[in-house]
Amino acid sequence: MKSFIRNLSLKKKIQSIVFLSILLLAFTSYLSLRISSQAHQKVLHQTVATTLSFSAQELNNRLENIRTMADMLLADNSMQKSLCVYKDSSQTQDRTIAYKTLYTTLNEYYFNFRKNNINYMSLYQGNISVHTHIMTKEKLPSAIKNDLIKRAEEGKGKTLWVTDYSQEYGLFMVKNIRRSQFLKLDSIGNLIVNIDINQLMNSFTSSSRLNEKAVYILYQNGHFIYNSSALPSDQALLQGFDSRYGRVNLESNNYFYVKRSVPDLNWDFVCMIPYNDIVESLRVSFYLCIVITLGAMALAMALSSALIDSITRHFNILLLKMNNLADGQNQQLTIRYNYKERFDEVGILHTRFDQMVLAVNELIRTNYLNEILKKEAQLKALENQMNPHFLYNTLESINWRAKALGARDISSMAEALGTLLRITLDQKSKQVTLRRELEMVQCYMTIQKYRYEDRLEYQVMVPPELLDLSVLKLTLQPLVENAIRYGLEENTEGCQIRIVAALTDGVLSVSVMNNGSQFEDNLLEKLKYHQITPHGFGIGLLNIQERMKLTYGSAGSLYLYNEKEQAVAKLSFPLSNDQEEDGCQKGDLPC
């Protein structure tokens, strides 16, 4: 991917940068719109939540007032005495007086607390009941009345809120009244307070800052307590309020809702506002932003393309000039545009390049041709002096003269030196066969044998089928020279040198072994990083290692180690596919 981007033309690179910048701006615009929408929803949530929290607190306060009224009524002495008379006395006169007292006291509390939207209040003791003078239009069914009394008695003095009948008969508060005299705490009656839930909810929700379309829902444990909307009281409706705020779809209408809990009660309070208008406004704004962004992108791309073309065409002309110079055409191209009048980067590049071409042409005319002729003459003279044929003819003359005088050792040395020079100066290929490399080593050893005589022993252990495999030229002879230097010149005893070759998994391994010397640990690394000073041949080892890496890569290597008191230099030559196939066809190599 990096290579693809690097090889793009300058025009495409600039266009890519501009396009990415435009995309970034478009994405930023979209993100800004989303953030604006979320901010709008957050503000809406905060407004509704504030109003709803106020309403929930107001509801809780009014219910708390009713609870306080019930506690006061429970503790009232006249109420306690009258209820006790009703329960304990069988005298008609006493019961009549007690009834009047209960009626009067109950109505007094009603009138004092009716602003809390109390519809009516009732006292029940056995078959006797006392009611406030204001009753509901419809008589409370006996089944509901008995259920309320039962719940009050099961509460044993606790204040209980009954919401099961709120949709039709309103909200009920029930409380069992216990005898406080002598702490007997036996049941002497049940108080039932009916609250007009519609009037209670409308009294504080109508004064909220929300629009008149706001809908309030009050429910407990999946059952409706109050629903101010025209929507049906469907239990499935309550399942959509699964978070503190959000959006819900009801009968193809989209609503934004906020849910709060009524303090001290396990009731959920929900306010819903129609969200269709808000959604439509956001949708129109979104599409409008998209249209504007796309138009801006198209205009920006058109203007940027025109501007980029006006810049890159001058670079194309400069590339044309450079290609013209690279092709050897030293004459300047005829360009109608005058870059000398421009002082920006483009004008400076063209002007400097034209000046450079003039300077190069002048250099070629005055110096370059003369220097070439001079170098050619020097190289020709050096070539004549170092002509290999001249060296070969001289060595042949020495060889012929030595034979004539009967000096066989001089003749052999001259002949070996001539062969050694012929192989060394052969520059046709940097790789030769193993046979050719061993032939050069043999010539070198012939000369060294006359010098060291019986102190030097030389042995080649190479299978015949490996002799025609290719190796890097001039690698074995330097290793043999190193073995003689450290194995014989620094040792008074004899030196045995062996060359062993083997083929394993397509890799030809050739090892040069000698006794009388040892390699240091990590010798090549120490030589490379100048941790030790090479004694003449250290540079040669590094030279062989670098040549192996350049020729064969990581597959070729030079490895120095010690084995059984012998110094071993091992060369690894990977075979090419052609060598392996050729060896298999001849039957020389195992396939």
Side-chain angles (χ1 to χ4, degrees):
M1 187 63 183
K2 291 183 179 179
S3 177
F4 174 77
I5 295 176
R6 284 196 297 265
N7 293 326
L8 287 176
S9 63
L10 180 62
K11 178 180 178 180
K12 291 183 178 179
K13 288 179 181 177
I14 299 176
Q15 286 178 338
S16 299
I17 294 174
V18 173
F19 181 71
L20 289 176
S21 301
I22 293 174
L23 284 182
L24 180 61
L25 291 175
F27 176 75
T28 305
S29 301
Y30 171 77
L31 189 62
S32 301
L33 183 61
R34 294 287 296 179
I35 294 175
S36 175
S37 175
Q38 292 177 0
H40 178 272
Q41 184 170 329
K42 185 177 180 181
V43 172
L44 181 62
H45 160 251
Q46 292 175 345
T47 303
V48 177
T50 302
T51 302
L52 196 58
S53 298
F54 169 78
S55 300
Q57 186 62 45
E58 182 66 19
L59 174 63
N60 185 74
N61 292 338
R62 297 195 182 189
L63 295 180
E64 183 63 28
N65 292 337
I66 297 174
R67 185 187 295 111
T68 302
M69 180 270 298
D71 293 336
M72 293 172 61
L73 184 64
L74 180 67
D76 190 278
N77 289 329
S78 60
M79 181 68 66
Q80 282 280 329
K81 290 179 181 180
S82 298
L83 288 175
C84 290
V85 169
Y86 244 102
K87 183 176 182 179
D88 299 335
S89 177
S90 59
Q91 299 294 327
T92 302
Q93 184 178 1
D94 294 339
R95 292 171 66 88
T96 300
I97 296 173
Y99 180 85
K100 292 181 178 180
T101 303
L102 290 174
Y103 180 79
T104 303
T105 304
L106 192 64
N107 276 279
E108 287 179 358
Y109 277 94
Y110 168 76
F111 280 108
N112 290 331
F113 288 90
R114 65 179 179 178
K115 64 180 180 181
N116 293 294
N117 306 107
I118 298 176
N119 194 19
Y120 65 89
M121 299 167 58
S122 299
L123 278 173
Y124 292 93
Q125 188 187 83
N127 295 326
I128 301 173
S129 61
V130 182
H131 307 279
T132 56
H133 71 285
I134 299 178
M135 295 291 294
T136 56
K137 296 179 180 179
E138 298 182 1
K139 186 178 180 180
L140 188 67
S142 298
I144 296 177
K145 180 189 71 173
N146 294 334
D147 180 59
L148 293 175
I149 293 173
K150 181 181 177 182
R151 293 191 185 189
E153 290 178 348
E154 290 176 352
K156 298 180 180 181
K158 294 181 179 179
T159 301
L160 302 177
W161 298 97
V162 181
T163 62
D164 296 351
Y165 316 108
S166 59
Q167 290 290 96
E168 185 175 357
Y169 298 101
L171 179 66
F172 289 95
M173 188 210 75
V174 298
K175 191 177 184 69
N176 181 243
I177 302 176
R178 298 278 172 157
R179 190 197 303 263
S180 61
Q181 187 178 15
F182 307 118
L183 297 177
K184 290 184 177 182
L185 300 179
D186 58 322
S187 177
I188 57 176
N190 295 292
L191 175 66
I192 297 177
V193 180
N194 180 260
I195 298 100
D196 190 341
I197 187 67
N198 290 316
Q199 186 181 11
L200 175 65
M201 295 295 296
N202 292 331
S203 64
F204 51 78
T205 56
S206 60
S207 61
S208 67
R209 292 174 292 176
L210 301 177
N211 57 52
E212 59 183 7
K213 296 181 181 180
V215 176
Y216 295 91
I217 298 175
L218 187 65
Y219 66 96
Q220 179 186 24
N221 297 328
H223 297 283
F224 279 94
I225 301 176
Y226 172 79
N227 183 6
S228 65
S229 69
L231 298 174
S233 299
D234 188 1
Q235 302 297 327
L237 171 65
L238 304 180
Q239 297 177 0
F241 309 129
D242 54 355
S243 60
R244 295 182 60 190
Y245 69 94
R247 284 183 287 177
V248 63
N249 190 278
L250 301 175
E251 296 185 350
S252 302
N253 292 320
N254 204 3
Y255 290 90
F256 177 84
Y257 75 88
V258 175
K259 183 174 73 173
R260 286 289 184 272
S261 296
V262 179
D264 302 331
L265 295 173
N266 189 23
W267 296 355
D268 291 316
F269 201 1
V270 178
C271 179
M272 295 194 304
I273 298 177
Y275 203 64
N276 289 335
D277 295 340
I278 300 175
V279 172
E280 185 63 25
S281 177
L282 291 176
R283 183 182 294 110
V284 171
S285 300
F286 179 74
Y287 290 147
L288 182 61
C289 288
I290 290 180
V291 172
I292 294 175
T293 302
L294 291 177
M297 290 176 62
L299 180 60
M301 288 297 296
L303 293 177
S304 61
S305 296
L307 181 61
I308 292 170
D309 287 338
S310 66
I311 296 175
T312 55
R313 65 186 182 92
H314 297 291
F315 287 97
N316 293 333
I317 295 174
L318 181 60
L319 289 175
L320 185 62
K321 291 181 178 180
M322 296 174 67
N323 292 330
N324 183 67
L325 179 63
D327 293 338
Q329 302 176 15
N330 298 326
Q331 297 298 325
Q332 292 185 355
L333 293 176
T334 302
I335 305 298
R336 296 181 180 179
Y337 195 89
N338 186 9
Y339 290 100
K340 294 182 180 180
E341 297 178 356
R342 293 187 59 166
F343 301 99
D344 60 345
E345 290 82 355
V346 174
I348 294 174
L349 284 174
H350 278 273
T351 303
R352 293 296 186 185
F353 183 81
D354 293 339
Q355 293 174 355
M356 183 192 70
V357 172
L358 293 175
V360 169
N361 291 335
E362 182 66 21
L363 181 64
I364 292 174
R365 283 192 297 268
T366 57
N367 297 321
Y368 187 65
L369 293 178
N370 291 332
E371 289 295 326
I372 288 178
L373 293 176
K374 181 179 178 181
K375 293 296 181 182
E376 285 184 353
Q378 292 175 347
L379 290 174
K380 189 65 176 178
L382 182 60
E383 181 182 349
N384 292 332
Q385 293 175 11
M386 297 298 296
N387 192 336
H389 295 288
F390 172 75
L391 296 176
Y392 300 152
N393 293 335
T394 302
L395 290 174
E396 284 295 330
S397 299
I398 296 174
N399 183 25
W400 175 80
R401 183 60 178 168
K403 288 181 178 180
L405 297 175
R408 295 183 179 180
D409 52 351
I410 298 176
S411 175
S412 298
M413 293 177 66
E415 186 176 356
L417 180 59
T419 304
L420 187 62
L421 287 175
R422 186 179 296 108
I423 298 174
T424 303
L425 296 176
D426 182 14
Q427 300 180 356
K428 294 181 179 180
S429 175
K430 66 178 181 180
Q431 294 191 60
V432 297
T433 63
L434 180 57
R435 186 193 310 276
R436 188 68 167 171
E437 188 72 4
L438 291 174
E439 182 181 351
M440 183 173 66
V441 173
Q442 181 63 47
C443 293
Y444 177 76
M445 291 301 297
T446 299
I447 298 172
Q448 296 298 330
K449 284 285 289 182
Y450 282 107
R451 178 182 178 184
Y452 297 107
E453 298 180 346
D454 295 337
R455 293 176 59 200
L456 179 61
E457 295 184 9
Y458 171 65
Q459 185 179 8
V460 178
M461 302 174 63
V462 178
E465 62 270 16
L466 304 182
L467 293 175
D468 292 326
L469 298 180
S470 297
V471 297
L472 184 62
K473 184 179 178 182
L474 293 176
T475 52
L476 291 181
Q477 186 272 332
L479 295 178
V480 172
E481 181 180 352
N482 180 70
I484 294 175
R485 174 181 176 85
Y486 289 98
L488 192 59
E489 291 188 357
E490 299 180 3
N491 187 5
T492 58
E493 299 180 359
C495 177
Q496 294 180 350
I497 298 176
R498 288 191 301 157
I499 298 180
V500 180
L503 180 64
T504 305
D505 296 331
V507 177
L508 174 62
S509 299
V510 181
S511 300
V512 178
M513 309 176 183
N514 72 278
N515 61 354
S517 65
Q518 296 284 309
F519 286 121
E520 292 188 28
D521 294 336
N522 301 320
L523 177 60
L524 291 175
E525 292 186 6
K526 293 179 180 179
L527 290 171
K528 181 177 180 180
Y529 296 107
H530 307 288
Q531 296 178 3
I532 61 175
T533 303
H535 299 289
F537 193 70
I539 299 176
L541 292 175
L542 292 177
N543 180 272
I544 295 174
Q545 184 187 43
E546 291 300 321
R547 290 172 58 213
M548 292 288 289
K549 288 183 179 180
L550 291 174
T551 304
Y552 302 108
S554 59
S557 63
L558 169 62
Y559 182 45
L560 306 179
Y561 62 96
N562 301 308
E563 184 180 64
K564 297 179 180 180
E565 298 184 355
Q566 286 189 329
V568 181
K570 182 178 180 180
L571 292 167
S572 296
F573 303 97
L575 301 184
S576 62
N577 294 332
D578 295 337
Q579 291 187 68
E580 292 191 46
E581 293 178 1
D582 192 29
C584 291
Q585 293 174 359
K586 293 180 180 180
D588 295 336
L589 301 179
C591 301

